[in-house]
C-alpha cells in the first residue's frame, strides 16, 4: 500500500525552485500504480503536470540516482524520451553533451554489472540512447560507431548490450523510419550506417569466431539478423558468413532458430545474376545439415504436436526458409540436374510441414504452393481445344513433369484441409453440435480464397489427378471408412471450389457422380444432424456450378425442387442456406426459368408462382424477403413486357392481398394504423417490395404505381401518430415497440422509393409523376418532427433522386435545401458523434447536389451559402473517416467548378484563404492523417490556381497590403499562419516548406511526402540550430523540381506566356 500524502505535499513536487523530495515522488508514483479513488486521481494529476513542465528533464539524473522505485525510474525515462524526441534541438549544446555523457555512463555501468531486475530498465535506457544517436550522429557524434565498437572489446556483458543497441538502431533507421523522421534524415542515417558498417561487421565476425558466451553469440546473431536486409551484399556473399552460419550454428539447439532466420533473410535477397553460385552452395549445405538434424522419414506433423516451443518454432522457421528460398531461387536449382534430388527433398519437407495442424505455418506453405502452381500454370495456360485428360506425359512441359509427383501430394493436403467458404452457414461448433454460423470469420474467408485459388491452379495442372483424389475420398465417405462431418465438409468445400477449372464434359461427368453419391448418402444416413450437414454440402456444391445447371435443365429443376424441400427443414441454418443457394442459382440461371424448356408445358416460373404459398409457408420473414428477391431476378429476365407485367402482378398478389385488406380497413377506421400487428405486417410487406424491386428493376413501376399514393398516405398518417406520441410523452417514446414499427414502415417506404428511382430508366417519369407527391409527403414532415423522429432515409432518398435526375433536379434543390438543410445541420453541429446516419446521408446529399446541380448554389442567398461552406468545413473536420472524405471530395469538386464559373471572383475572394487555413488545421492535426492524400490533392490544386494565375482578382486589399501578386501574398500568408501555429519552427524551415508547396503542386505523391516531412518536423522543437543538415538538401531538391517543371513547360509551345519566355535571340 502506498504511503498517504496530502494534496499540498504532492503539490511541492511541482515547485522547481526547491530541492526534489525523492521519497515523496516515490510515494506519489506508488499511489498512481496501486491505489484507486481520490488519491489515485491526485497522483495522476501531479505526475501529468510534473511531466509537462519544461524543466522536468533537469530532475531526471537525481531521480535515476536516488530513487529506489523501478516505476519512478521509468517515469524519469519517459520525461527524458519526450525531451529528446521533441525539444533536443532547442537545448544548448553543453546540455545535450551532458545528457549524452550521463546516459552513456549509465548504460555502461548497468551493462557491465546488472541484476535481472535491472535488465528491463537497461533495455529502456538502450532505447533512449538510440533516440539520442538518431539526433546526434553523425554530425555531433562522428565517432559513435567506433566508440561503441571499441567499448565492446572491454567486456563480454558490455558487448552483449552494445549488440542490442546496434540492433535497435538498425530497426529505427531501416524498419521504422517512415513517418518518424523526414525522408532526407532517414536517407542520411542509412547512408552513414552503410558507410561505417565495416567496423560493426568486424566486431560481429570476431564474436562469432571467438566467443564462448551463449548470451553474447545469441545477441550477435539477433543483431546480424537485423542487418542482413540492408548491408552491402559483399559482406554476405564475399565473406565466410554463410558457411559459418551453416556449419557452426545451424545444428546447435540454442542457435538454430535465429540462424535459420538469418539464412531466410539471405534467401530473400534478389541477386541471382551476381551471386547465383553462392545461393546454390548455400542451399546444398543447408539441405545436407537438415537431413542430419531432421531425417526425411520424420512425421513432422506429430513432431510438431508433441514438441516444445523451441522445436515448434524451428519447424515454422524451416517453412519460412524453404518457401523463401524456393520462391526466389528455385530456377537456379532446377537448371542443375545433379541437384534435382535436393530440390525434391526440400519439397518433400514442405509437404510434411504443410500437414502440421497450425494455421500460421500452413499459411506460409500455402503462399508458396500458390505461387508455384500459378507459375507452372502460366507456362502452359488452359486451352479449350482439348480435354486435359488427353494431355500426354510427352507433351507436358519439363518443369511441370519435374514437380508432378509433389503436386499430387499437395492436392491431397489442400483437399483434406480445405477452409470453409463464406456461403456455408451450417457448421459444427466446438461442442460437436451442428449449428447455424452467425459470425463471419474473415481470417477463414481469406484462407479459403487462397486455398481455392491454389486448388484451381493445381486442377489445371493435372485435372485427372484432382478428380481421382476427390472421387476416392467421396467413395470412402459413402462406404464409411473415412466418414466424419469434418472429412465430408472439407471434401465438398474443395469440390465446390474448383468450379470452372475443368472442361465442360469432364465437369458434367464428375458432378453427376458427386451429386448422385451425396443424395444417396443423404438417404442412407439417419439423424437430423447428419442430414443437415449433407444437405448443406449438396446446396453449396450445386450453388457453385451454374454452368452445369444451365446446360442441364432437368438437373436444375431437380435441384431447385430439392431446395424447396429444404425450405421446410427446420434444422438450424438449413432454411437460410436453401434461400441463399436459391438466390445464387436464380441470378446465374435466371433466363432458364422464364423459357419453356423441352418436355415442359409452361415456364418453371409459372409453376413457382402457382405454388408460392406452399413453398414459403415455413419460412421466417427475412427468408421470405430473400425468396422474393430470387424470384424477382427470374422475372427480370423476361424480355416480353406484356408477359413480364402479368408475372409481376401474379408474383406480388400475395403481399398485395394483405396490403389491400389493411388499407381497406384503415380507410374506414384510421385507428387500424395504430394496431401493432397491422403495422408489423405493413413493414414486412414493404420489405418484400424492396427486395422484389432490387431484383426486378425499372419494370417494378407497375407494382410501385399500384401502391404509391396509399403508401404515401400511410406515411403521412404514421408521421402524425409519431409526432403526437412524442408531443405527449417526450422523445423517448420513439423507442417503444409500436412507434419503432411505425418508423420501420416509414423507413421501408423511403427505401422502396430510392431503390426504384436508382434503377429507373425514365428520369422524366420520376420527375413528373413520382417526385411532387413524394416531396409533399416527406419534406414538411421532416422539418416539423423532433430530431429523434427524423428519418435519415429522407436524406438518402433525396440523394438518389438528385443522382438520377442530375441537372433536371436543379429547380427542386432550393425547396429541398430549405426543408432539410438547416434543421439537419442543427442536429449534427453540436458534436462529432450524435446522429451518425443523418451525418453521412446529409453530406452525401450535399455531394450529389454539388456534382449535378452546382448552379443551384449560385441562386441561394449569401448567408445560406456561408452556412453551406461552414458545413463542408465541418464535414472534413470530422474524425469519422467516411464523413471527412465526403467533405473533402465536395470541397475539391466545388473548387474545380467555381474555377470555370463566372462567379469565381467573388467566391475565391471570400473563401479561398479561409479554406486554406481550415485545410492546414486538419493537415497538422494528427487525428486526420488517414486523409493525407485528399488534403494533398486539395492544397496542390489551390496552390496551382495561385501559381498559374488562374484567380483573376487579388485575394488581398491592394490599398493596405504591399504584394505584387496573389502568389507572393499567399506565400507570405501561409508562412505567417504556420509561424503563429508553430512558433518553435525556424523561419528557414517554414520558407522551404512553403516553397515546396508551390514547386511540387503538379506531382501529388511528392507533394504528399513534402507535407508528411513537415508533419515530422513540427513534432520536434528545432531550437536555434539554423544549419539543419537536411534543409540544404531539401532546398536543393526543390530547386531541381522547380527547374524541371520550368523545362517541361518550355518544351510545350504556348504553355508559358510569350512575355515570360526567354527570347530565342538571347539564347
Amino acid at each position: 500500500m502506498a504511503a498517504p500524502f496530502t494534496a499540498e505535499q504532492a503539490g511541492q513536487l511541482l515547485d522547481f525552485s526547491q530541492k526534489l523530495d525523492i521519497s515523496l515522488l516515490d510515494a506519489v508514483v506508488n499511489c498512481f500504480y496501486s491505489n484507486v479513488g481520490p488519491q489515485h486521481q491526485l497522483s495522476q494529476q501531479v505526475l501529468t503536470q510534473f511531466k509537462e513542465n519544461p524543466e522536468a528533464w533537469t530532475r531526471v539524473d537525481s531521480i535515476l540516482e536516488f530513487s529506489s522505485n523501478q516505476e519512478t525510474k521509468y517515469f524519469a525515462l519517459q520525461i527524458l524520451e519526450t525531451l529528446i524526441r521533441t525539444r533536443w534541438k532547442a537545448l544548448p549544446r553543453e546540455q545535450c553533451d551532458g545528457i549524452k555523457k550521463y546516459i552513456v555512463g549509465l548504460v555502461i555501468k548497468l551493462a557491465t554489472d546488472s541484476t535481472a531486475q535491472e535488465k528491463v530498465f537497461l533495455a529502456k535506457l538502450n532505447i533512449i540512447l538510440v533516440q539520442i544517436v538518431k539526433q546526434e550522429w553523425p554530425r555531433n557524434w562522428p565517432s559513435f560507431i567506433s566508440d561503441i565498437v571499441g567499448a565492446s572489446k572491454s567486456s563480454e556483458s558490455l558487448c552483449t548490450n552494445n549488440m542490442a543497441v546496434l540492433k535497435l538502431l538498425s530497426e529505427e533507421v531501416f524498419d521504422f523510419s517512415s513517418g518518424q523522421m523526414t525522408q532526407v534524415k532517414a536517407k542520411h542515417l542509412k547512408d552513414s550506417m552503410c558507410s561505417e558498417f565495416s567496423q560493426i561487421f568486424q566486431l560481429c565476425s570476431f564474436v562469432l569466431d571467438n566467443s564462448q558466451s551463449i548470451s553474447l553469440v545469441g545477441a550477435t546473431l539477433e543483431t546480424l539478423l537485423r542487418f542482413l536486409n540492408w548491408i552491402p551484399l559483399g559482406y554476405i556473399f564475399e565473406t565466410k558468413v554463410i558457411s559459418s552460419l551453416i556449419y557452426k550454428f545451424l545444428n546447435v539447439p540454442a542457435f538454430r532458430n535465429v540462424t535459420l532466420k538469418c539464412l531466410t533473410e539471405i534467401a530473400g535477397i534478389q541477386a541471382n545474376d551476381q551471386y547465383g553460385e553462392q545461393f546454390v552452395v548455400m542451399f546444398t549445405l543447408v539441405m545436407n545439415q537438415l537431413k542430419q538434424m531432421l531425417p526425411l522419414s520424420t512425421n513432422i506433423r506429430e513432431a510438431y504436436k508433441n514438441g516444445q516451443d523451441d522445436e515448434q518454432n524451428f519447424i515454422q522457421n524451416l517453412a519460412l526458409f524453404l518457401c523463401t528460398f524456393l520462391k526466389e531461387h528455385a530456377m537456379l536449382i532446377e537448371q542443375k540436374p545433379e541437384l534435382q534430388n535436393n530440390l525434391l527433398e526440400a519439397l518433400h519437407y514442405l509437404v510434411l510441414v504443410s500437414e502440421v495442424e497450425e494455421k500460421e505455418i500452413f499459411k506460409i506453405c500455402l503462399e508458396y504452393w500458390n505461387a508455384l502452381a500459378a507459375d507452372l500454370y502460366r507456362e502452359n495456360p488452359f486451352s479449350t481445344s482439348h480435354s486435359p485428360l488427353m494431355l500426354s506425359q510427352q507433351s507436358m512441359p519439363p518443369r511441370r513433369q519435374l514437380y508432378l509427383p509433389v503436386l499430387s501430394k499437395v492436392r491431397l493436403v489442400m483437399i483434406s484441409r480445405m477452409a470453409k467458404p463464406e456461403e456455408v452457414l451450417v457448421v459444427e461448433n466446438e461442442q460437436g453440435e451442428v449449428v447455424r454460423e452467425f459470425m463471419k470469420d474473415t481470417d477463414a474467408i481469406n484462407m479459403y480464397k487462397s486455398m481455392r485459388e491454389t486448388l484451381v491452379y493445381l486442377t489445371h495442372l493435372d485435372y485427372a489427378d484432382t478428380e481421382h483424389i476427390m472421387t476416392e475420398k467421396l467413395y470412402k465417405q459413402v462406404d464409411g471408412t473415412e466418414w466424419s462431418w469434418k472429412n465430408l465438409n472439407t471434401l465438398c468445400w474443395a469440390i465446390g471450389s474448383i468450379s470452372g477449372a475443368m472442361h465442360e464434359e469432364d465437369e458434367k461427368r464428375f458432378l453427376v457422380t458427386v451429386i448422385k453419391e451425396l443424395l444417396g448418402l443423404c438417404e442412407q444416413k439417419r439423424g437430423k444432424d447428419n442430414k443437415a450437414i449433407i444437405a448443406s454440402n449438396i446446396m453449396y456444391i450445386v450453388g457453385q456450378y451454374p454452368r452445369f445447371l444451365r446446360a442441364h435443365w432437368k438437373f436444375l429443376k431437380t435441384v431447385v425442387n430439392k431446395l424447396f424441400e429444404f425450405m421446410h427443414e427446420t434444422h438450424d441454418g438449413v432454411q437460410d442456406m436453401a434461400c441463399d443457394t436459391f438466390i445464387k442459382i436464380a441470378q446465374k440461371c435466371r433466363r432458364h426459368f422464364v423459357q419453356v424448356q423441352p418436355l415442359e408445358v409452361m415456364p418453371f416460373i409459372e409453376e413457382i408462382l402457382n405454388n408460392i404459398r406452399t413453398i414459403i409457408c415455413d419460412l421466417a420473414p427475412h427468408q421470405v424477403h430473400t425468396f422474393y428477391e430470387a424470384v424477382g431476378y427470374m422475372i427480370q429476365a423476361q424480355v416480353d413486357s406484356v408477359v413480364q407485367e402479368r408475372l409481376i402482378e401474379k408474383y406480388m398478389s400475395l403481399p398485395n392481398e394483405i396490403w389491400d385488406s389493411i388499407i381497406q380497413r384503415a380507410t374506414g377506421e384510421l385507428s387500424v394504423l395504430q394496431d401493432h400487428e397491422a403495422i408489423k405486417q405493413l413493414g414486412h410487406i414493404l420489405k418484400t417490395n424492396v427486395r422484389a424491386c432490387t431484383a426486378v428493376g425499372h419494370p417494378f413501376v407497375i407494382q410501385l404505381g399500384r401502391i404509391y399514393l396509399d403508401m404515401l398516405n400511410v406515411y403521412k398518417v404514421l408521421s402524425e401518430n409519431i409526432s403526437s406520441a412524442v408531443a405527449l410523452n417526450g422523445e423517448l417514446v420513439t423507442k417503444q415497440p409500436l412507434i419503432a414499427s411505425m418508423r420501420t414502415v416509414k423507413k421501408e417506404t423511403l427505401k422502396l422509393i430510392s431503390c426504384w428511382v436508382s434503377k429507373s430508366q425514365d428520369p422524366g417519369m420520376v420527375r413528373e409523376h413520382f417526385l411532387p407527391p413524394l416531396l409533399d409527403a416527406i419534406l414538411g414532415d421532416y422539418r416539423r418532427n423532433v430530431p429523434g423522429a427524423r428519418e435519415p432515409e429522407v436524406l438518402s432518398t433525396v440523394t438518389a433522386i438528385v443522382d438520377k435526375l442530375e441537372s433536371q433536379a436543379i429547380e427542386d434543390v432550393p425547396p429541398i435545401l430549405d426543408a432539410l438543410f438547416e434543421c439537419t445541420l442543427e442536429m449534427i453541429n453540436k458534436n462529432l458523434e450524435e446522429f451518425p446516419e443523418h451525418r453521412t446521408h446529409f453530406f452525401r446529399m450535399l455531394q450529389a447536389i454539388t456534382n449535378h446541380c452546382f448552379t443551384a448554389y449560385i441562386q441561394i442567398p449569401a448567408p445560406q451559402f456561408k452556412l453551406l461552406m461552414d458545413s463542408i468545413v465541418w464535414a472534413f473536420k470530422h474524425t469519422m473517416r467516411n464523413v471527412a472524405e465526403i467533405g473533402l471530395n465536395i470541397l475539391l469538386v466545388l473548387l474545380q467548378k467555381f474555377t470555370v464559373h463566372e462567379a469565381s471572383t467573388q467566391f475565391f475572394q471570400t473563401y479561398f484563404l479561409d479554406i486554406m487555413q481550415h485545410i492546414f488545421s486538419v493537415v497538422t492535426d494528427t487525428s486526420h492523417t488517414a486523409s493525407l492524400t485528399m488534403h494533398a490533392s486539395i492544397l496542390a490544386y489551390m496552390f496551382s490556381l495561385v501559381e498559374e494565375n488562374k484567380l483573376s482578382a487579388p485575394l488581398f486589399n491592394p490599398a493596405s497590403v504591399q504584394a505584387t501578386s496573389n502568389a507572393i501574398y499567399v506565400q507570405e500568408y501561409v508562412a505567417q499562419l504556420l509561424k503563429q501555429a508553430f512558433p518553435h519552427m525556424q523561419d528557414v524551415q517554414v520558407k522551404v516548406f512553403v516553397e515546396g508547396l508551390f514547386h511540387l503542386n503538379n506531382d501529388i505523391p511528392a507533394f504528399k511526402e513534402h507535407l508528411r516531412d513537415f508533419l515530422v518536423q513540427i513534432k520536434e522543437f528545432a531550437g536555434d540550430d539554423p544549419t539543419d543538415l537536411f534543409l540544404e538538401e531539401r532546398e536543393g531538391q526543390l530547386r531541381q523540381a522547380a527547374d524541371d517543371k520550368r523545362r517541361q513547360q518550355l518544351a510545350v509551345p504556348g504553355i508559358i506566356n510569350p512575355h515570360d519566355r526567354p527570347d530565342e535571340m538571347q539564347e
Side-chain angles (χ1 to χ4, degrees):
M1 190 69 190
F5 50 85
T6 64
E8 195 179 341
Q9 285 173 317
Q12 290 169 12
L13 293 174
L14 302 174
D15 181 357
F16 281 77
S17 62
Q18 291 183 23
K19 187 168 182 272
L20 178 66
D21 182 342
I22 298 282
S23 55
L24 177 60
L25 180 62
D26 281 347
V28 173
V29 170
N30 269 334
C31 173
F32 175 71
Y33 281 106
S34 54
N35 268 12
V36 286
Q39 279 265 303
H40 173 79
Q41 285 170 345
L42 173 63
S43 58
Q44 182 177 16
Q45 199 180 343
V46 169
L47 291 176
T48 306
Q49 287 177 330
F50 187 94
K51 207 183 204 175
E52 286 171 355
N53 191 304
E55 297 297 306
W57 66 274
T58 58
R59 301 282 165 110
V60 169
D61 55 347
S62 48
I63 298 174
L64 294 180
E65 208 154 321
F66 300 113
S67 171
S68 54
N69 183 349
Q70 277 314 105
E71 267 85 15
T72 311
K73 290 183 175 184
Y74 285 133
F75 174 67
L77 291 184
Q78 283 173 354
I79 293 170
L80 194 54
E81 191 171 10
T82 309
L83 172 83
I84 296 164
R85 267 209 334 271
T86 60
R87 297 182 52 233
W88 186 259
K89 289 178 186 154
L91 294 177
R93 190 69 252 156
E94 62 275 12
Q95 286 181 343
C96 291
D97 291 339
I99 295 172
K100 181 166 77 182
K101 198 171 173 186
Y102 176 74
I103 292 294
V104 170
L106 203 51
V107 167
I108 291 173
K109 181 176 160 221
L110 282 174
T112 318
D113 175 28
S114 62
T115 62
Q117 193 188 12
E118 286 172 325
K119 283 274 189 276
V120 185
F121 181 59
L122 176 60
K124 184 70 184 165
L125 268 178
N126 286 340
I127 292 172
I128 293 212
L129 177 58
V130 169
Q131 296 295 346
I132 293 176
V133 171
K134 278 162 60 183
Q135 299 283 6
E136 294 285 280
W137 175 70
R139 200 173 83 221
N140 294 323
W141 192 354
S143 61
F144 164 69
I145 295 288
S146 43
D147 289 354
I148 198 167
V149 169
S152 299
K153 292 171 184 168
S154 61
S155 86
E156 287 209 329
S157 54
L158 182 56
C159 185
T160 305
N161 190 63
N162 285 351
M163 285 296 175
V165 171
L166 287 169
K167 177 179 137 191
L168 275 173
L169 183 61
S170 172
E171 288 173 340
E172 285 284 316
V173 173
F174 287 92
D175 302 338
F176 310 130
S177 59
S178 175
Q180 299 301 314
M181 50 179 108
T182 62
Q183 303 164 78
V184 183
K185 181 174 177 179
K187 181 178 182 304
H188 199 82
L189 287 178
K190 287 174 183 177
D191 292 347
S192 303
M193 274 199 93
C194 287
S195 64
E196 295 197 39
F197 185 70
S198 63
Q199 297 180 60
I200 302 175
F201 184 75
Q202 284 162 9
L203 175 65
C204 292
S205 303
F206 180 78
V207 171
L208 295 179
D209 288 347
N210 302 299
S211 176
Q212 298 301 309
S213 158
I214 288 183
S215 61
L216 175 55
V217 171
T220 306
L221 288 169
E222 287 287 353
T223 304
L224 183 64
L225 172 61
R226 292 300 179 282
F227 292 160
L228 287 169
N229 65 5
W230 59 263
I231 59 177
L233 295 183
Y235 287 112
I236 299 173
F237 296 108
E238 293 165 29
T239 62
K240 54 181 190 180
V241 164
I242 295 176
S243 58
S244 176
L245 285 170
I246 297 170
Y247 284 132
K248 196 166 179 185
F249 302 111
L250 183 57
N251 55 6
V252 180
F255 304 133
R256 64 185 173 190
N257 274 313
V258 66
T259 305
L260 204 43
K261 281 183 181 171
C262 288
L263 292 167
T264 305
E265 206 55 70
I266 296 170
I269 295 170
Q270 296 168 333
N272 273 356
D273 306 345
Q274 205 178 349
Y275 295 112
E277 205 40 54
Q278 284 87 331
F279 280 118
V280 172
V281 171
M282 169 170 126
F283 180 68
T284 318
L285 297 180
V286 172
M287 285 306 295
N288 292 342
Q289 286 285 58
L290 265 181
K291 284 184 281 187
Q292 293 167 26
M293 296 161 68
L294 193 73
L296 284 161
S297 56
T298 313
N299 181 337
I300 293 183
R301 180 180 169 172
E302 286 304 309
Y304 184 88
K305 203 163 150 188
N306 306 319
Q308 303 295 313
D309 280 358
D310 188 59
E311 292 160 325
Q312 292 188 339
N313 287 340
F314 180 72
I315 289 170
Q316 180 160 344
N317 289 329
L318 173 62
L320 277 167
F321 171 75
L322 291 174
C323 292
T324 307
F325 187 91
L326 294 174
K327 217 160 159 187
E328 294 295 341
H329 315 290
M331 282 289 201
L332 293 172
I333 311 296
E334 287 171 18
Q335 288 157 7
K336 297 187 182 297
E338 70 277 13
L339 292 181
Q340 284 184 358
N341 210 30
N342 265 353
L343 175 63
L344 293 174
E345 287 170 347
L347 293 164
H348 175 73
Y349 274 128
L350 260 188
V351 171
L352 295 177
V353 175
S354 302
E355 291 170 359
V356 168
E357 294 285 338
E358 165 54 51
K359 204 187 279 178
E360 291 312 308
I361 292 182
F362 182 67
K363 277 186 192 167
I364 295 166
C365 302
L366 175 61
E367 196 188 332
Y368 170 68
W369 295 129
N370 183 297
L372 174 67
D375 189 34
L376 290 171
Y377 171 74
R378 282 189 207 104
E379 278 188 2
N380 189 18
F382 181 79
S383 139
T384 48
S385 58
H386 55 260
S387 160
L389 291 180
M390 316 308 291
L391 195 70
S392 65
Q393 287 284 117
Q394 287 73 40
S395 60
M396 195 178 282
R399 272 189 83 211
R400 201 180 283 190
Q401 276 184 20
L402 171 66
Y403 285 100
L404 207 59
V406 164
L407 294 181
S408 183
K409 293 175 188 164
V410 178
R411 277 184 203 98
L412 186 57
V413 172
M414 292 296 150
I415 293 165
S416 312
R417 295 195 60 163
M418 195 67 195
K420 187 182 78 63
E422 200 173 352
E423 298 89 340
V424 175
L425 302 177
V426 180
V427 292
E428 182 183 354
N429 68 11
E430 284 170 5
Q431 288 70 45
E433 303 157 326
V434 176
V435 293
R436 148 120 218 229
E437 180 186 61
F438 285 99
M439 284 294 290
K440 292 273 182 238
D441 179 350
T442 46
D443 200 33
I445 292 167
N446 290 334
M447 171 84 95
Y448 169 73
K449 285 176 180 163
S450 296
M451 291 187 78
R452 181 181 177 282
E453 190 179 291
T454 310
L455 193 55
V456 166
Y457 281 131
L458 290 168
T459 303
H460 280 307
L461 293 174
D462 187 349
Y463 165 65
D465 188 52
T466 307
E467 186 186 355
H468 171 73
I469 294 170
M470 286 177 168
T471 33
E472 279 296 300
K473 288 186 87 64
L474 184 60
Y475 291 141
K476 286 180 181 168
Q477 288 300 309
V478 176
D479 69 19
T481 50
E482 277 188 12
W483 161 258
S484 77
W485 292 341
K486 181 174 178 285
N487 289 346
L488 181 69
N489 283 342
T490 50
L491 172 61
C492 291
W493 299 341
I495 291 171
S497 69
I498 58 167
S499 169
M502 343 172 187
H503 286 263
E504 210 164 337
E505 283 311 302
D506 301 324
E507 183 176 273
K508 175 187 169 186
R509 191 193 59 256
F510 174 54
L511 265 189
V512 168
T513 309
V514 169
I515 303 292
K516 202 170 75 190
E517 295 295 344
L518 286 175
L519 287 171
L521 197 59
C522 200
E523 298 304 315
Q524 167 200 329
K525 293 288 176 193
R526 294 281 157 263
K528 281 207 142 192
D529 281 355
N530 284 335
K531 286 192 181 300
I533 288 276
I534 299 167
S536 135
N537 281 313
I538 292 174
M539 290 190 285
Y540 172 61
I541 289 175
V542 296
Q544 288 300 98
Y545 284 90
R547 175 174 74 173
F548 172 76
L549 295 175
R550 283 196 296 267
H552 302 88
W553 166 251
K554 283 185 77 168
F555 204 85
L556 172 57
K557 187 178 174 183
T558 310
V559 163
V560 172
N561 282 326
K562 193 74 186 167
L563 292 176
F564 292 162
E565 237 176 80
F566 288 146
M567 285 178 193
H568 301 288
E569 172 57 70
T570 51
H571 194 296
D572 222 9
V574 173
Q575 288 170 303
D576 273 315
M577 209 168 154
C579 293
D580 290 352
T581 308
F582 180 52
I583 197 169
K584 270 170 71 178
I585 291 175
Q587 282 170 312
K588 293 291 183 196
C589 310
R590 55 182 92 183
R591 278 205 333 277
H592 296 265
F593 294 98
V594 291
Q595 295 165 345
V596 180
Q597 297 294 340
L599 306 177
E600 301 282 355
V601 290
M602 58 181 167
F604 192 53
I605 182 74
E606 302 279 2
E607 219 170 296
I608 295 175
L609 295 179
N610 289 339
N611 301 313
I612 201 161
R613 282 170 201 268
T614 324
I615 297 170
I616 65 173
C617 65
D618 289 325
L619 296 179
H622 74 278
Q623 293 159 345
V624 171
H625 305 151
T626 305
F627 180 88
Y628 261 84
E629 187 182 338
V631 176
Y633 288 117
M634 299 174 185
I635 293 173
Q636 186 262 334
Q638 174 55 265
V639 286
D640 182 329
S641 57
V642 178
V643 177
Q644 192 181 45
E645 279 187 20
R646 188 180 55 74
L647 287 176
I648 292 172
E649 278 174 33
K650 196 170 177 183
Y651 163 59
M652 296 307 293
S653 62
L654 189 57
N656 283 344
E657 257 175 54
I658 307 166
W659 173 268
D660 291 346
S661 80
I662 295 174
I663 296 294
Q664 227 164 352
R665 280 161 46 217
T667 313
E669 185 54 67
L670 261 185
S671 62
V672 169
L673 293 182
Q674 290 179 339
D675 169 41
H676 197 184
E677 208 38 59
I679 297 294
K680 269 164 69 176
Q681 277 190 306
L682 286 177
H684 173 40
I685 291 165
L686 285 169
K687 282 179 179 171
T688 306
N689 272 276
V690 171
R691 296 293 286 273
C693 179
T694 304
V696 176
H698 177 78
F700 197 72
V701 64
I702 179 176
Q703 163 66 9
L704 183 64
R706 185 185 187 282
I707 63 170
Y708 193 67
L709 294 175
D710 284 338
M711 185 168 75
L712 291 179
N713 285 330
V714 169
Y715 185 96
K716 287 177 186 171
V717 173
L718 294 185
S719 290
E720 282 160 22
N721 290 351
I722 293 169
S723 295
S724 44
V726 170
L728 271 175
N729 307 304
E731 218 168 305
L732 274 175
V733 80
T734 55
K735 300 281 182 279
Q736 282 182 4
L738 172 62
I739 303 293
S741 296
M742 287 181 178
R743 292 192 67 182
T744 300
V745 172
K746 286 179 72 179
K747 283 173 187 294
E748 293 303 325
T749 299
L750 293 164
K751 277 185 192 167
L752 177 57
I753 295 167
S754 25
C755 174
W756 179 76
V757 166
S758 62
K759 290 176 178 292
S760 167
Q761 292 148 10
D762 186 348
M765 182 199 282
V766 174
R767 172 108 181 51
E768 210 171 310
H769 299 295
F770 286 90
L771 196 55
L774 173 69
L775 296 181
D776 174 55
I778 67 172
L779 293 184
D781 166 61
Y782 183 91
R783 186 163 49 184
R784 284 190 301 273
N785 258 327
V786 293
R790 288 182 186 141
E791 306 307 337
E793 287 75 13
V794 168
L795 303 168
S796 55
T797 305
V798 167
T799 307
I801 289 166
V802 174
D803 277 335
K804 178 56 67 179
L805 298 182
E806 296 183 350
S807 58
Q808 290 182 41
I810 285 176
E811 286 172 34
D812 303 297
V813 167
I816 286 172
L817 287 177
D818 196 41
L820 308 181
F821 183 79
E822 285 189 44
C823 63
T824 310
L825 193 57
E826 276 167 25
M827 289 165 64
I828 63 173
N829 66 6
K830 310 280 185 295
N831 56 43
L832 295 165
E833 290 81 37
E834 278 183 303
F835 303 110
E837 280 188 87
H838 291 80
R839 255 170 229 282
T840 320
H841 291 319
F842 174 72
F843 290 116
R844 287 217 172 103
M845 176 180 83
L846 292 186
Q847 188 175 22
I849 295 172
T850 308
N851 288 341
H852 304 301
C853 306
F854 164 74
T855 51
Y857 288 154
I858 311 294
Q859 295 153 24
I860 57 179
Q864 269 85 349
F865 187 78
K866 165 91 174 72
L867 212 51
L868 173 79
M869 291 306 296
D870 290 346
S871 70
I872 294 170
V873 170
W874 179 239
F876 66 68
K877 292 204 167 176
H878 275 66
T879 43
M880 278 169 70
R881 178 139 176 228
N882 55 341
V883 174
E885 293 278 334
I886 295 168
L888 292 167
N889 277 305
I890 296 174
L891 179 60
L892 186 55
V893 172
L894 209 58
L895 290 169
Q896 289 164 340
K897 294 207 173 200
F898 265 115
T899 305
V900 294
H901 193 275
E902 60 208 26
S904 68
T905 303
Q906 193 188 347
F907 171 76
F908 285 123
Q909 279 185 324
T910 315
Y911 293 107
F912 188 90
L913 296 174
D914 229 16
I915 291 169
M916 192 166 266
Q917 186 173 350
H918 286 303
I919 289 285
F920 272 117
S921 83
V922 288
V923 168
T924 51
D925 175 352
T926 48
S927 56
H928 287 274
T929 45
S931 303
L932 194 60
T933 305
M934 247 346 256
H935 295 152
S937 304
I938 289 169
L939 283 175
Y941 184 74
M942 293 179 80
F943 278 102
S944 70
L945 288 180
V946 174
E947 194 197 19
E948 292 162 18
N949 217 4
K950 295 259 181 77
L951 307 179
S952 50
L955 297 171
F956 52 93
N957 179 356
S960 59
V961 176
Q962 293 290 303
T964 52
S965 70
N966 279 333
I968 289 170
Y969 178 70
V970 168
Q971 215 159 347
E972 278 302 306
Y973 174 81
V974 174
Q976 282 311 113
L977 192 68
L978 295 170
K979 281 177 200 168
Q980 282 166 9
F982 307 106
H984 67 273
M985 295 287 289
Q986 302 165 25
D987 288 358
V988 65
Q989 284 178 305
V990 173
K991 177 173 170 281
V992 169
F993 174 59
V994 177
E995 279 177 12
L997 297 173
F998 280 93
H999 297 323
L1000 299 170
N1001 60 47
N1002 281 352
D1003 179 352
I1004 301 289
F1007 192 92
K1008 180 177 157 187
E1009 285 307 322
H1010 185 61
L1011 274 182
R1012 206 196 309 264
D1013 277 356
F1014 182 69
L1015 296 182
V1016 172
Q1017 286 174 336
I1018 61 177
K1019 291 180 195 163
E1020 301 176 350
F1021 280 69
D1024 53 2
D1025 179 3
T1027 58
D1028 192 328
L1029 245 181
F1030 313 114
L1031 269 173
E1032 291 172 35
E1033 295 184 50
R1034 192 77 187 121
E1035 282 176 324
Q1037 288 172 348
L1038 292 175
R1039 272 196 302 275
Q1040 184 66 44
D1043 293 346
D1044 290 350
K1045 186 169 170 182
R1046 174 86 176 165
R1047 256 199 307 281
Q1048 284 165 1
Q1049 291 173 331
L1050 283 168
V1052 183
I1055 286 263
I1056 292 182
N1057 184 310
H1059 299 292
D1060 293 339
R1061 286 183 76 90
D1063 194 303
E1064 281 81 7
M1065 300 304 284
Q1066 284 175 315
E1067 287 176 10

